[in-house]
Short mmCIF file of all heavy atoms in Angstrom, two decimals:
data_model
loop_
_atom_site.label_atom_id
_atom_site.label_comp_id
_atom_site.label_asym_id
_atom_site.label_seq_id
_atom_site.Cartn_x
_atom_site.Cartn_y
_atom_site.Cartn_z
N LEU N 43 24.09 23.78 3.72
CA LEU N 43 25.39 24.18 3.19
C LEU N 43 26.13 22.99 2.59
O LEU N 43 26.75 23.09 1.54
CB LEU N 43 26.23 24.79 4.33
CG LEU N 43 25.76 26.17 4.83
CD1 LEU N 43 26.56 26.57 6.06
CD2 LEU N 43 25.91 27.22 3.73
N ALA N 49 26.37 20.05 -4.54
CA ALA N 49 25.81 20.36 -5.85
C ALA N 49 26.78 21.19 -6.68
O ALA N 49 26.91 21.00 -7.89
CB ALA N 49 24.49 21.12 -5.67
N ASP N 70 11.85 19.15 -16.21
CA ASP N 70 12.29 18.27 -15.13
C ASP N 70 13.80 18.39 -14.96
O ASP N 70 14.57 18.15 -15.89
CB ASP N 70 11.90 16.83 -15.48
CG ASP N 70 12.04 15.89 -14.28
OD1 ASP N 70 12.82 16.18 -13.37
OD2 ASP N 70 11.36 14.85 -14.30
N ALA N 105 20.06 -7.17 -12.65
CA ALA N 105 21.38 -6.54 -12.64
C ALA N 105 22.08 -6.77 -11.29
O ALA N 105 23.27 -7.08 -11.24
CB ALA N 105 21.26 -5.04 -12.91
N PRO N 121 10.88 2.57 -3.32
CA PRO N 121 12.21 3.17 -3.13
C PRO N 121 12.31 4.49 -3.88
O PRO N 121 11.51 4.78 -4.78
CB PRO N 121 13.16 2.12 -3.71
CG PRO N 121 12.33 1.39 -4.72
CD PRO N 121 10.92 1.39 -4.19
N LEU N 128 20.17 4.73 -4.38
CA LEU N 128 18.84 4.16 -4.21
C LEU N 128 18.55 4.05 -2.72
O LEU N 128 19.33 3.46 -1.97
CB LEU N 128 18.77 2.77 -4.86
CG LEU N 128 17.40 2.12 -4.94
CD1 LEU N 128 16.48 2.88 -5.89
CD2 LEU N 128 17.52 0.67 -5.38
N THR N 168 2.76 -5.44 9.71
CA THR N 168 3.95 -4.62 9.89
C THR N 168 4.44 -4.20 8.51
O THR N 168 5.16 -4.95 7.83
CB THR N 168 5.04 -5.41 10.63
OG1 THR N 168 4.49 -5.97 11.82
CG2 THR N 168 6.22 -4.53 10.98
N LEU N 211 -3.13 3.39 19.78
CA LEU N 211 -3.38 2.46 18.68
C LEU N 211 -3.15 3.10 17.32
O LEU N 211 -3.70 2.65 16.30
CB LEU N 211 -4.79 1.87 18.76
CG LEU N 211 -5.10 1.11 20.06
CD1 LEU N 211 -6.52 0.55 20.03
CD2 LEU N 211 -4.09 -0.01 20.29
N TRP N 252 0.42 21.94 11.69
CA TRP N 252 -1.01 21.78 11.97
C TRP N 252 -1.40 20.32 11.90
O TRP N 252 -0.69 19.49 11.36
CB TRP N 252 -1.89 22.63 11.04
CG TRP N 252 -1.64 22.57 9.55
CD1 TRP N 252 -1.01 23.50 8.79
CD2 TRP N 252 -2.06 21.53 8.63
NE1 TRP N 252 -0.97 23.11 7.46
CE2 TRP N 252 -1.62 21.91 7.34
CE3 TRP N 252 -2.74 20.32 8.77
CZ2 TRP N 252 -1.85 21.13 6.20
CZ3 TRP N 252 -2.97 19.54 7.64
CH2 TRP N 252 -2.53 19.95 6.38
N ALA N 273 -19.39 18.27 10.71
CA ALA N 273 -19.35 16.81 10.66
C ALA N 273 -20.07 16.17 11.83
O ALA N 273 -20.68 15.10 11.69
CB ALA N 273 -17.90 16.34 10.61
N ASP N 324 -24.49 10.75 7.35
CA ASP N 324 -23.40 10.43 6.43
C ASP N 324 -22.08 10.05 7.09
O ASP N 324 -21.17 9.56 6.41
CB ASP N 324 -23.15 11.60 5.49
CG ASP N 324 -24.25 11.76 4.45
OD1 ASP N 324 -25.10 10.85 4.34
OD2 ASP N 324 -24.26 12.79 3.75
N LEU N 326 -19.53 11.98 8.28
CA LEU N 326 -18.43 12.75 7.70
C LEU N 326 -17.22 12.77 8.65
O LEU N 326 -17.38 12.77 9.87
CB LEU N 326 -18.88 14.19 7.43
CG LEU N 326 -19.90 14.35 6.30
CD1 LEU N 326 -20.40 15.79 6.25
CD2 LEU N 326 -19.31 13.97 4.95
N ALA N 333 -9.87 18.12 0.46
CA ALA N 333 -8.94 19.12 -0.05
C ALA N 333 -8.71 20.15 1.04
O ALA N 333 -9.66 20.82 1.48
CB ALA N 333 -9.49 19.79 -1.31
N ASP N 335 -6.30 23.37 2.68
CA ASP N 335 -5.36 24.44 2.39
C ASP N 335 -4.03 24.16 3.07
O ASP N 335 -3.97 23.93 4.28
CB ASP N 335 -5.94 25.78 2.89
CG ASP N 335 -5.07 26.96 2.51
OD1 ASP N 335 -4.07 27.20 3.23
OD2 ASP N 335 -5.37 27.63 1.51
N ASN N 350 -21.86 7.05 5.07
CA ASN N 350 -22.29 6.11 6.11
C ASN N 350 -21.95 4.67 5.71
O ASN N 350 -22.78 3.76 5.78
CB ASN N 350 -23.80 6.24 6.36
CG ASN N 350 -24.17 5.83 7.77
OD1 ASN N 350 -23.32 5.48 8.59
ND2 ASN N 350 -25.46 5.87 8.06
N VAL N 375 -8.33 17.97 -12.96
CA VAL N 375 -9.12 17.00 -12.23
C VAL N 375 -8.26 16.22 -11.23
O VAL N 375 -7.03 16.18 -11.31
CB VAL N 375 -9.81 16.00 -13.19
CG1 VAL N 375 -10.70 16.76 -14.17
CG2 VAL N 375 -8.80 15.15 -13.94
N LEU N 388 -13.09 14.24 -10.49
CA LEU N 388 -13.62 15.44 -9.84
C LEU N 388 -12.79 16.65 -10.26
O LEU N 388 -11.61 16.52 -10.57
CB LEU N 388 -13.54 15.33 -8.31
CG LEU N 388 -14.07 14.06 -7.63
CD1 LEU N 388 -13.75 14.13 -6.14
CD2 LEU N 388 -15.55 13.90 -7.85
N SER N 411 -26.04 9.38 -8.65
CA SER N 411 -26.90 10.52 -8.96
C SER N 411 -26.08 11.57 -9.70
O SER N 411 -24.85 11.48 -9.79
CB SER N 411 -27.46 11.11 -7.67
OG SER N 411 -26.42 11.69 -6.89
N GLY N 414 -23.25 12.99 -7.82
CA GLY N 414 -22.19 12.08 -7.39
C GLY N 414 -22.48 11.31 -6.12
O GLY N 414 -21.57 10.70 -5.56
N SER N 435 -14.43 -6.37 -0.04
CA SER N 435 -14.06 -5.31 0.91
C SER N 435 -12.57 -5.04 0.88
O SER N 435 -12.12 -4.00 1.36
CB SER N 435 -14.50 -5.70 2.33
OG SER N 435 -15.89 -5.59 2.47
N SER N 461 -15.81 -11.34 -4.90
CA SER N 461 -16.81 -10.82 -3.97
C SER N 461 -16.31 -10.99 -2.53
O SER N 461 -15.25 -11.56 -2.30
CB SER N 461 -18.14 -11.56 -4.15
OG SER N 461 -17.97 -12.94 -3.87
N ARG N 479 -16.95 -13.03 10.15
CA ARG N 479 -16.86 -13.67 8.83
C ARG N 479 -17.87 -14.82 8.77
O ARG N 479 -17.82 -15.73 9.59
CB ARG N 479 -15.46 -14.20 8.57
CG ARG N 479 -15.25 -14.56 7.09
CD ARG N 479 -13.81 -14.97 6.80
NE ARG N 479 -13.61 -15.15 5.38
CZ ARG N 479 -13.15 -14.23 4.55
NH1 ARG N 479 -12.83 -13.04 5.03
NH2 ARG N 479 -13.01 -14.48 3.26
N ASN N 533 6.64 3.15 -23.89
CA ASN N 533 5.42 2.38 -24.16
C ASN N 533 5.36 1.13 -23.29
O ASN N 533 4.99 0.05 -23.74
CB ASN N 533 5.31 2.00 -25.65
CG ASN N 533 3.96 1.37 -25.99
OD1 ASN N 533 2.92 1.72 -25.43
ND2 ASN N 533 3.98 0.40 -26.91
N ALA N 548 3.21 -3.99 -22.79
CA ALA N 548 3.03 -2.90 -23.75
C ALA N 548 1.89 -2.00 -23.27
O ALA N 548 0.77 -2.46 -23.08
CB ALA N 548 2.73 -3.46 -25.13
N ARG N 562 10.07 -14.71 -4.56
CA ARG N 562 9.66 -14.08 -3.31
C ARG N 562 8.16 -13.81 -3.38
O ARG N 562 7.57 -13.81 -4.46
CB ARG N 562 10.41 -12.76 -3.07
CG ARG N 562 11.89 -12.94 -2.71
CD ARG N 562 12.03 -13.58 -1.35
NE ARG N 562 13.40 -13.68 -0.89
CZ ARG N 562 14.20 -14.71 -1.08
NH1 ARG N 562 13.77 -15.75 -1.79
NH2 ARG N 562 15.42 -14.74 -0.59
N ASP N 574 24.25 6.96 -15.28
CA ASP N 574 25.36 6.75 -16.24
C ASP N 574 24.87 6.14 -17.55
O ASP N 574 25.52 5.27 -18.14
CB ASP N 574 26.44 5.86 -15.63
CG ASP N 574 27.13 6.51 -14.43
OD1 ASP N 574 27.03 7.74 -14.29
OD2 ASP N 574 27.74 5.77 -13.63
N PHE N 581 12.54 -2.77 -7.30
CA PHE N 581 11.41 -3.04 -6.41
C PHE N 581 11.87 -4.00 -5.33
O PHE N 581 12.88 -4.70 -5.48
CB PHE N 581 10.22 -3.62 -7.18
CG PHE N 581 10.54 -4.87 -7.94
CD1 PHE N 581 10.40 -6.13 -7.38
CD2 PHE N 581 10.99 -4.78 -9.26
CE1 PHE N 581 10.71 -7.28 -8.09
CE2 PHE N 581 11.29 -5.93 -9.98
CZ PHE N 581 11.16 -7.18 -9.40
#
Side-chain angles (χ1 to χ4, degrees):
L43 289 173
D70 193 336
L128 188 67
T168 308
L211 302 181
W252 49 257
D324 288 349
L326 290 173
D335 185 279
N350 207 2
V375 301
L388 311 174
S411 67
S435 286
S461 61
R479 194 175 187 95
N533 188 34
R562 289 292 185 268
D574 295 341
F581 56 90

